[in-house]
Amino acid sequence: MDKSNDKNSSHGLFLRKEVEMHLSHILYKVKNMEEAVKDFENMGFTVIRGGHNYNIWFEDGTFIELFSIKKKPFLIFLFRIIGMKGMANKMKYFQDADVGFIEYSLENKVDDLDKENEQLKRLGYKFTSFSMRKKNQEGEKLKWKITFPYDLHLPFMVASKSYRILMMPDKISHKNGAKKLKKLVWGVHKDYIEDIQSLYQDNRLELVEGSGFKSIEIEGLEDDIFHKEYYK
């Protein structure tokens, strides 16, 4: 990912903690969704449909989202001309990225992203922020807000309260023993680590110098599945 020119102030000047975000979910890109779901189920995970994608939920409320995406250059162009550059940048990255773990997101426990967006402004980042809607499996309407920074070094952020009430399963159980997310290690350009850390309060997310996914630890998961380079 190239370093964005949309950053217009020094890094690290504004530290936490007016915002109270935590790790939301990790996006896992697949080529063939049907095959991927079967394979993850064969690995002992309970995979639940979540709209167009599929989720592997854990007891602590985090989840892995399995998704596939087709290249739609016109849609990216449209987002740019209507002023949604943050979403356009992220969508292009999703489309161009290799399969596997490609992104993580942060979330809060309320219905807005006002504090988070103000923090981005103080740090000098531009972003696209808007509301989203869809229906769950029971036909209930879900509403949530989402913010996409222009700069791809930063994760996107979600206001999750209403969304989680309707989406998170009442009971979560995996045959392979997986229970909770213990640690996600993610590589970030060194100039951005302090800024991103000012956006969340979650010891499970560890940022290190580098680029992209490094490792994941799941409590109760005896087999080190995600370190076997399973990418389909």
Side-chain angles (χ1 to χ4, degrees):
M1 292 180 286
D2 294 331
K3 198 169 181 178
S4 171
N5 291 323
D6 292 308
K7 179 77 169 67
N8 55 34
S9 71
S10 299
H11 289 270
L13 294 179
F14 302 96
L15 298 181
R16 43 186 132 197
K17 280 304 190 217
E18 289 188 24
V19 296
E20 296 182 3
M21 303 207 87
H22 56 279
L23 192 62
S24 172
H25 61 289
I26 311 124
L27 278 71
Y28 192 106
K29 183 178 178 181
V30 303
K31 290 181 180 178
N32 185 303
M33 182 63 75
E34 185 176 345
E35 290 183 8
V37 169
K38 289 180 181 178
D39 287 344
F40 275 95
E41 288 177 339
N42 289 336
M43 286 190 284
F45 290 106
T46 299
V47 184
I48 299 173
R49 188 177 182 89
H52 298 295
N53 302 325
Y54 288 80
N55 299 328
I56 299 171
W57 287 88
F58 300 112
E59 294 176 3
D60 57 359
T62 58
F63 63 97
I64 295 170
E65 179 179 354
L66 306 180
F67 82 103
S68 60
I69 186 170
K70 296 180 180 179
K71 291 195 174 184
K72 298 179 179 180
F74 176 76
L75 189 58
I76 293 174
F77 172 75
L78 179 62
F79 284 142
R80 291 189 190 280
I81 64 174
I82 65 174
M84 299 180 71
K85 184 177 178 181
M87 187 171 184
N89 290 352
K90 191 67 74 172
M91 180 173 287
K92 187 177 188 308
Y93 165 63
F94 287 165
Q95 292 180 6
D96 294 342
D98 292 332
V99 293
F101 286 111
I102 67 167
E103 178 66 294
Y104 67 96
S105 71
L106 302 174
E107 68 175 45
N108 59 30
K109 295 182 179 180
V110 296
D111 285 324
D112 65 71
L113 290 165
D114 295 346
K115 289 184 178 180
E116 291 77 10
N117 290 343
E118 284 300 317
Q119 178 74 342
L120 288 176
K121 290 178 183 177
R122 285 195 293 267
L123 290 167
Y125 293 101
K126 296 180 180 180
F127 55 88
T128 299
S129 189
F130 55 94
S131 298
M132 294 188 69
R133 300 185 182 196
K134 72 176 181 179
K135 292 183 179 180
N136 64 7
Q137 289 294 93
E138 289 70 39
E140 298 168 305
K141 294 181 179 179
L142 309 177
K143 297 180 181 180
W144 71 101
K145 294 185 177 179
I146 191 165
T147 289
F148 290 103
Y150 286 13
D151 196 314
L152 290 174
H153 292 84
L154 275 70
F156 66 94
M157 302 184 293
V158 182
S160 68
K161 181 179 179 181
S162 299
Y163 180 88
R164 284 190 170 272
I165 289 174
L166 294 176
M167 283 297 291
M168 187 172 175
D170 294 330
K171 184 179 181 181
I172 299 170
S173 177
H174 300 285
K175 292 180 181 178
N176 58 21
K179 295 185 180 298
K180 300 178 182 180
L181 177 68
K182 290 177 62 177
K183 180 75 70 174
L184 174 67
V185 182
W186 204 272
V188 180
H189 189 285
K190 63 180 181 179
D191 291 345
Y192 291 83
I193 291 178
E194 199 172 62
D195 283 1
I196 299 173
Q197 287 176 335
S198 77
L199 293 169
Y200 70 89
Q201 295 174 304
D202 194 333
N203 293 330
R204 296 171 299 181
L205 176 58
E206 180 181 344
L207 302 181
V208 298
E209 288 189 30
S211 178
F213 173 74
K214 297 300 181 184
S215 65
I216 189 171
E217 296 178 38
I218 307 294
E219 180 182 322
L221 188 62
E222 296 181 1
D223 195 4
D224 199 10
I225 292 172
F226 293 112
H227 289 202
K228 293 182 177 179
E229 297 186 355
Y230 170 83
Y231 299 122
K232 177 176 272 187

